[in-house]
Amino acid sequence: MKRLLDARHIATRSGLPRLAAKLLRGEAVTVAYLGGSITEGAGASRQDETSWRALTGQYLAQRYPHSSFTFINAGVGGTNSTFGAHRLHSHVLSQGEIDLLFVEFSVNDGEDREESIRGMEGIVRQCRRQSPWTELCFVYTAADKNLSDTLPFNIAVHEEVAAYYQIASVNLAGGVQDRIHAGMVTWEALAPDRVHPNDEGYALYASYLKAFLEQEVRLSGVGAAAEPDPSELRLAPPLDDRNYEHSMMADCGAAVASSGFTLQELGKDEPLMNWRYGLAHLAAKGEEGEQLSFAVGGRRAGVVLLHGPDSGILEYSLDQGQSFTVVDVFDEWCVLAYRPILVLFPFQSERAIQQVVIRCTGSKDERSKGTGIRVLKLMSS
């Protein structure tokens, strides 16, 4: 059965010439995967063996046996490109030279076009600034909203960024849609929950990406051996000057002043979802008036909350406690388990040091079992 992706769903643009050269020379290669639960492999019988991420890595290792490979799984379920941009350095770029970065957020990004551009552009510009030799590929996976006869909204927005920065992209959702139209498969057969593929669905995704990678190496050939000129990698003016090029995610360290918050770890019997990284966080019982404060530089500050079954409502101040704004992010998933939730505060007019105060309100959503507040990470951009 034919599996190759129609050429109209592949945009080579500037391609992957440096990766191709390293593969042809048999050099060590590092490939990173930044995305949501589909990048992690949710729905696969064995995430590190049968997901598209794992299968793509297996293909590279088998096809190019003279190269040694390092694969970085930076997929975090339920996260969008805004969160991806903020954790890019910690989860990917801090681990050394990255040759190829796959970016997958077309399913998790919402309907806010500007925010989606800020996230995807921030990822690209961070790479170009911090790791200029890293080549990128945007990957567009399927969900009901990405299966249409016209270019779906989120994919179209990501393509704006890809085209502007000449980033390669592969529209896996387009390939799935073609097969559905041809009567070869149903979406439910590939993804029973209509979002996360099963092993058959992931194998289809991987086959498309294998064909793309094979094409890139073939087209680049031995001519790709020359290294790019750094002067040619200068950043173009941004599409959105509020993009997350300078975003960062930091631990709650000694610079945080607190009253009522203590350093804790999540208990082994406390349910957790969508996080495979360190769980040290600052926690308070949630009594009214407990607070913490910190300072970060940039145009936008924020925190990552570790929110779950007993989490309450907080409020924040950006004017040294003169006024506070209430934030309630408790939702149906919090009832089930703790998970990281990104809370970003309003943009400021200029990049500057921002003084942030987080304060417990002693109140909660009616579905919550408590009023506690747990702060996992500090954010800035």
Side-chain angles (χ1 to χ4, degrees):
M1 179 166 58
K2 185 179 179 182
R3 281 176 170 259
L4 296 183
L5 192 65
D6 189 297
R8 61 196 170 89
H9 299 310
I10 295 177
T12 297
R13 300 192 174 98
S14 59
L16 310 175
R18 186 170 183 267
L19 174 74
K22 295 189 75 170
L23 292 173
L24 292 172
R25 294 195 296 255
E27 297 178 4
V29 168
T30 297
V31 180
Y33 303 80
L34 180 70
S37 58
I38 299 170
T39 292
E40 272 193 298
S45 61
R46 298 178 302 281
Q47 292 189 1
D48 291 331
E49 296 180 29
T50 60
S51 64
W52 74 266
R53 168 182 53 80
L55 292 171
T56 303
Q58 292 168 24
Y59 157 74
L60 285 169
Q62 294 167 4
R63 178 65 179 81
Y64 302 99
H66 297 296
S67 291
S68 60
F69 289 90
T70 299
F71 299 107
I72 299 172
N73 173 13
V76 173
T79 60
N80 58 16
S81 63
T82 297
F83 202 165
H86 282 78
R87 60 188 183 83
L88 174 62
H89 178 79
S90 294
H91 291 172
V92 178
L93 299 181
S94 64
Q95 300 189 46
E97 183 175 325
I98 308 299
D99 297 296
L100 173 60
L101 175 63
F102 286 108
V103 183
E104 176 270 314
F105 288 113
S106 68
V107 169
N108 284 358
D109 272 4
E111 297 303 308
D112 187 333
R113 175 183 172 277
E114 290 184 344
E115 190 65 13
S116 186
I117 285 179
R118 291 169 191 154
M120 296 300 285
E121 183 174 39
I123 291 168
V124 173
R125 293 180 72 85
Q126 274 190 70
C127 280
R128 293 277 169 88
R129 184 168 50 82
Q130 297 183 33
S131 181
W133 308 119
T134 297
E135 293 169 329
L136 293 91
C137 175
F138 289 0
V139 177
Y140 309 137
T141 54
D144 286 348
K145 69 175 185 178
N146 283 355
L147 295 172
S148 63
D149 293 331
T150 58
L151 193 64
F153 173 80
N154 289 105
I155 294 176
V157 173
H158 288 195
E159 278 289 89
E160 287 186 56
V161 178
Y164 185 74
Y165 290 100
Q166 288 298 292
I167 302 296
S169 63
V170 182
N171 187 356
L172 307 180
V176 171
Q177 179 76 343
D178 287 350
R179 295 173 70 81
I180 292 172
H181 276 327
M184 302 172 70
V185 73
T186 65
W187 181 222
E188 293 85 351
L190 297 176
D193 67 357
R194 306 188 67 85
V195 175
H196 304 99
N198 53 23
D199 286 356
E200 181 182 359
Y202 278 127
L204 182 64
Y205 281 1
S207 71
Y208 292 156
L209 287 164
K210 291 175 190 176
F212 163 71
L213 290 167
E214 193 73 24
Q215 168 189 292
E216 289 307 302
V217 175
R218 184 176 67 252
L219 291 178
S220 297
V222 295
E227 297 290 354
D229 182 349
S231 66
E232 297 177 359
L233 298 175
R234 292 173 183 162
L235 281 171
L239 291 169
D240 188 325
D241 65 4
R242 291 184 170 186
N243 75 78
Y244 298 117
E245 174 184 352
H246 300 286
S247 59
M248 293 184 63
M249 180 175 71
D251 293 334
C252 298
V256 176
S258 66
S259 173
F261 282 79
T262 59
L263 187 63
Q264 297 183 17
E265 289 274 353
L266 201 64
K268 293 182 179 179
D269 59 341
E270 295 179 296
L272 174 69
M273 62 188 295
N274 294 348
W275 196 250
R276 294 174 288 100
Y277 302 94
L279 288 168
H281 62 278
L282 289 175
K285 294 179 180 179
E287 297 175 355
E288 186 175 0
E290 292 175 321
Q291 69 177 43
L292 61 80
S293 60
F294 61 92
V296 294
R299 293 189 65 182
R300 198 174 196 186
V303 293
V304 177
L305 300 177
L306 190 58
H307 235 45
D310 61 356
S311 295
I313 297 172
L314 63 81
E315 56 187 6
Y316 71 88
S317 171
L318 301 180
D319 57 10
Q320 298 183 347
Q322 296 181 46
S323 62
F324 282 84
T325 301
V326 173
V327 174
D328 182 5
V329 291
F330 197 94
D331 59 19
E332 67 273 18
W333 297 104
C334 292
V335 176
L336 303 176
Y338 293 95
R339 79 184 198 280
I341 297 180
L342 175 62
V343 177
L344 292 177
F345 310 132
F347 279 101
Q348 304 303 300
S349 58
E350 302 291 339
R351 294 185 60 82
I353 299 298
Q354 297 191 50
Q355 301 287 339
V356 181
V357 179
I358 303 291
R359 191 166 70 183
C360 300
T361 65
S363 57
K364 67 182 185 66
D365 183 279
E366 62 181 9
R367 295 165 293 180
S368 177
K369 298 178 180 178
T371 58
I373 297 296
R374 301 171 187 250
V375 178
L376 180 63
K377 299 288 183 180
L378 309 180
M379 313 296 270
S380 64
S381 59

